[in-house]
Every structure is written in structure tokens, then in C-alpha cells.
Amino acid sequence: MGLVDRHVALRLTAMWLSVAACGGGGTCNRDGTEQAGAIEGQRPPADLDEIYEVIPRGPFHLDDALKIQSAEPPRAEVEAPTVVLAVLDTVRADHSSLCGYQRKTTPYLESLKARGAVHSCRAYTPGDWSLPTHASYFTGVSVARHGAHYAHDVRDEKGQRIRSLYVYPLRDEVRTLAEEMQDRGYQTVLVSDNGLLGEAGLQRGFSVVATRPRKHDPRADWVPPTLRRVLARDVDPEVPLFLVLNFIQAHDPWVAPDPGLGWDLLDPQMAPTDFKADFRLYLRNMLEPSKEAVLRAQLTDLYDYGVYREDRALQRSLSTLEHAGWLKSGYRMGITADHGEMLMEHGMWRHLFVYEGNTRVPFLYWTDGNAPALPEPFPAIAVHSLLRDGRLPEPMPAVESVAIPNPDRGPKTGPAAMPAAAMWFGHEKLLWTGGKYMRIDLASDPGEQSPMPLGDHPKRPELEALVAAIEDGK
């Protein structure tokens, strides 16, 4: 920002995402015309006709464990409160009906508010993607300091990457909430749609870890039936429970929205193959302008329906807990997201950088005890203290978000190609990227189109300290 045209730079970043990510099973030619022809000629198997994906992940199949009905979980007989962290993966605040979105995407979150949950629609994630943010939620430690983020690639003798993703693990000296809850006599359970939560040190302290198989059919919810099975088979009903849930339906690949919801959907909906082809053209800046609005509408429909499905999966999961008696002796629940999703704003798709669409998320704290008022803007990392202690941390952590990009992939220029940090004070956002310090008045510039030089801002030393921590942690 400031050095290059942002739209062009971020479009190049998105282009890299599409090309680099499908270097495995997909067909990715760097020549845009050839790629378009290759995509348009592809026809997916019949069982994938309802699945929308940009980066090929199939073929998909139903997890075998879901084909067997699990037993009814035994009734819990505990005296300590049940503690739950529920992460709605990839859910941005401005697409949640809890936060005023016109579509009823999160009716269950609204019902929790009606039942006394305190909430914020200006909560900010500590990181810009799943691994660093969950690491901060699990530890209460800044992304700049806990160590869990992208790592350098490892390649074979032919120069090919051995895995699709390389990350540094959580530092050994950083304790996790699961470890602390174990020390307090809790059994610790992780049930996650996102497989990253079962590795890189995030699994430390969990006595039960269940993560969704990568090829599980996205049309079938995985967490609610798996939680039921875990409660019936692996959980002691007489020992207090600390539970982490992650739901990922708002993340691609998506499934076609239900027309019965009564939303004003794109009519007719694009075929999955047409969506994939047009999206690839868009990422290469080759899509006809007349088709861009249709593509944006389709992407929004798919994403919103994914948010709705996560809300419903959360409802099913918490209802299972409640029916099994896990809430009768008290509860503390933190419900939030690990990041949002860029929906073609700034020419960008998926989750990169510290834009509002990727960092501002809904946050709820639901308890049968005393719930503190949540200040705004709110640091979502405070969920760690709310769950562990039942109160906000003292002092409150800074409202900050850190982006540390993959060091070996993508363009060498542009905002998303370099580390970035943001801090929020009221409606003012302070930003560091590309060696530049800037500020944005979100009240007058909510679209973040006109960043201004930071100058001798009174909060500049705080942002500089965060930047120094990022640099020290490299």
C-alpha cells in the first residue's frame, strides 16, 4: 500500500494462490488462455456436481465413522462448569446476522444473545489464518511471539515440495489452555473440522483429538455426529470437560445454498464447473466485466450458506452437550472465528493480510455466571482468559492482528507478500506493511481505500513494539 497499486498487487497475490495451490492434483498452466480452455473442458464426476471448489480437493467421500449411528451419550455427573471454545472458521462479522447482516446467516448466535450471551461485532483476530490465530486462542500469546506460522518449504531432489503446507510449531515453552485445564482436573477434548488443529503443537494437552478426514464430503456435517460419538465413547461423564470445537463449512469447498431459506439468491445458480472456470479467469484478470458481478453474487451465496451451516452445526453440537447434562453445573463458552474471508474486495479472495474483511469477526461469551461487558474494539485473544478464569484479562491485551506470509511462495512485492501488523484504537486503525507506517479512519473510510501516513501518532510506539516483536521472531 502506498508503493504500488493495491488492486493490481492483490490481484497478483490471488493469482499466485490459484496457480501455486493447484500445483498438485489440478491442471495449472501459467498461460491464462490455455488454462481457461483446460478448465472449461473438465467435467467432474457426477457425485461432485453440487460441490463448488476453486482449488481441486476431491474426490470426496463420506467419513466411514458417520455411517454408523453412535450410542446415546451418558448423562454427565460433574460439579464443575463445562468450558467450551467454539471456533466458526472463516466467518466475518459483517456477514453474520448477529451483527446486522440482512440474510439470517447466524440465527443461533442471535438466540444465544437472547439467552444472555454478551457479544461484540468489532472483535479482531490475532492472526490472518487458522494456525496462528488458534495458537493465540489456545495460549493467550500474540502471533508475534508464540512461533506457530508459515515455515520454509522442504523439497525433494527434483525440487518438488514434499507437502502442501509447512509450518513452524508452537514453541515448547508456551503452555496451552488444554494443558492448564488438565492441571485443574479437566478432561480435554478437541473435535475439529480443521485438521490443522491436530498438529503443529496445537494438540498439546488434549486427551482426545478428533479431526475431520481431508477427503470427507463437504455436503455432510462432520462435527455434530462426531461429538456425539466422542461423548458416548471417549468421555468420562464424571470428570469435568474442556471442549474445543471447530466448524469449517464457510471455507471452500462450498455446497449449493438451500433455496428454501427464502434468500434472494442468484437465479439461476452457476454450475460448479462454470463457477470454477470463471473464478480462475477472474484471478488472472481475464474475466469479462459483465460476468464479474454474477461471479461475486455466486461467491457471496456460497459463502453465506456456509456461514449458515456453521451456525446450525454449532446449534446441534451445543444441544447435544445440553441434552447430555453437561451444562447443568455451569458453563463458560467462548464463540468466535479464527479469521474472515475476502470476497473479491481489493481484488482478493480467501484469507490473507489484515484487511477488515479478514480480521473483524463476531464474538460471544455465554455463561451462567457473571458476564463482563466487552469493550470495543475487542481483542478476540481475550477468549483465553474468559474461558480459563471467567473474567477478562488484566491488563487487557492490545487489539492487534499480525500476518506473517509464506516465505517461499507467491510474489515478492505487494501487501500480502510481506509481514504486516495492525492495531485498533476506537475507529482508528494503525497499519504497518512493507516498512511503511500508516493509519486509516474506519469511520470515514470503511473500505480502507485511502491510508494516510502515521506520522508522530501518540500510539506509534505501541505499533513499533509489535513490529519489533515480529522482526525478532523471524
Side-chain angles (χ1 to χ4, degrees), residues 196-379:
L196 273 175
L197 273 64
E199 54 185 275
L202 299 188
Q203 75 279 20
R204 287 203 325 244
F206 287 103
S207 53
V208 177
V209 175
T211 59
R212 188 185 76 174
R214 285 193 63 190
K215 297 297 184 178
H216 172 70
D217 192 326
R219 292 169 292 189
D221 289 345
W222 186 84
V223 169
T226 301
L227 174 63
R228 177 186 170 93
R229 185 174 70 251
V230 167
L231 290 176
R233 187 185 65 187
D234 303 317
V235 170
D236 187 336
E238 298 183 356
V239 177
L241 176 65
F242 169 63
L243 173 66
V244 173
L245 302 171
N246 172 283
F247 308 88
I248 205 169
Q249 291 91 334
H251 193 294
D252 69 294
W254 306 279
V255 299
D258 180 1
L261 289 173
W263 294 354
D264 183 18
L265 298 170
L266 180 67
D267 187 17
Q269 292 273 297
M270 296 177 69
T273 49
D274 294 338
F275 172 79
K276 178 188 291 186
D278 281 1
F279 211 110
R280 293 280 184 86
L281 291 174
Y282 168 76
L283 293 177
R284 288 160 174 77
N285 204 19
M286 296 172 59
L287 184 65
E288 298 174 18
S290 61
K291 293 185 176 182
E292 189 167 316
V294 175
L295 181 65
R296 187 185 301 270
Q298 181 66 78
L299 176 62
T300 301
D301 287 352
L302 296 171
Y303 174 74
D304 287 350
Y305 185 54
V307 173
Y308 173 80
R309 290 183 64 207
E310 288 194 25
D311 183 78
R312 292 298 300 271
L314 173 68
Q315 179 180 18
R316 289 177 60 196
S317 300
L318 296 191
S319 294
T320 295
L321 281 181
E322 193 163 14
H323 292 157
W326 284 102
L327 307 189
K328 67 181 180 181
S329 294
Y331 51 88
R332 297 195 298 271
M333 297 191 190
I335 303 168
T336 189
D338 55 347
H339 53 76
E341 182 84 336
M342 300 302 292
L343 301 174
M344 297 171 63
E345 303 99 334
H346 303 279
M348 199 173 193
W349 168 60
R350 300 195 83 185
H351 23 280
L352 288 171
F353 203 59
V354 290
Y355 280 126
E356 294 292 293
N358 193 38
T359 55
R360 186 163 68 89
V361 297
F363 186 99
L364 293 93
Y365 179 60
W366 187 36
T367 179
D368 65 321
N370 296 323
L374 305 182
E376 290 193 344
F378 183 74

Side-chain angles (χ1 to χ4, degrees), residues 103-248:
R103 287 177 169 171
K104 281 288 185 180
T105 52
T106 52
Y108 183 60
L109 295 188
E110 294 178 70
S111 74
L112 293 182
K113 175 186 173 184
R115 293 176 67 177
V118 295
H119 81 288
S120 172
C121 290
R122 288 198 66 213
Y124 288 93
T125 60
D128 67 332
W129 69 289
S130 294
L131 176 66
T133 292
H134 279 92
S136 287
Y137 289 164
F138 287 7
T139 65
V141 176
S142 167
V143 171
R145 296 176 174 86
H146 61 51
H149 51 77
Y150 283 119
H152 287 279
D153 290 347
V154 176
R155 299 180 182 270
D156 61 21
E157 63 277 5
K158 296 181 180 179
Q160 299 297 314
R161 294 165 61 244
I162 299 172
R163 293 186 57 185
S164 61
L165 179 65
Y166 291 90
V167 297
Y168 292 115
L170 192 65
R171 288 176 177 148
D172 291 339
E173 66 272 18
V174 180
R175 297 203 78 206
T176 67
L177 185 55
E179 290 173 317
E180 295 186 75
M181 297 304 288
Q182 273 192 336
D183 290 347
R184 298 183 182 193
Y186 276 72
Q187 56 189 326
T188 53
V189 176
L190 169 67
V191 181
S192 174
D193 267 331
N194 191 331
L196 273 175
L197 273 64
E199 54 185 275
L202 299 188
Q203 75 279 20
R204 287 203 325 244
F206 287 103
S207 53
V208 177
V209 175
T211 59
R212 188 185 76 174
R214 285 193 63 190
K215 297 297 184 178
H216 172 70
D217 192 326
R219 292 169 292 189
D221 289 345
W222 186 84
V223 169
T226 301
L227 174 63
R228 177 186 170 93
R229 185 174 70 251
V230 167
L231 290 176
R233 187 185 65 187
D234 303 317
V235 170
D236 187 336
E238 298 183 356
V239 177
L241 176 65
F242 169 63
L243 173 66
V244 173
L245 302 171
N246 172 283
F247 308 88
I248 205 169

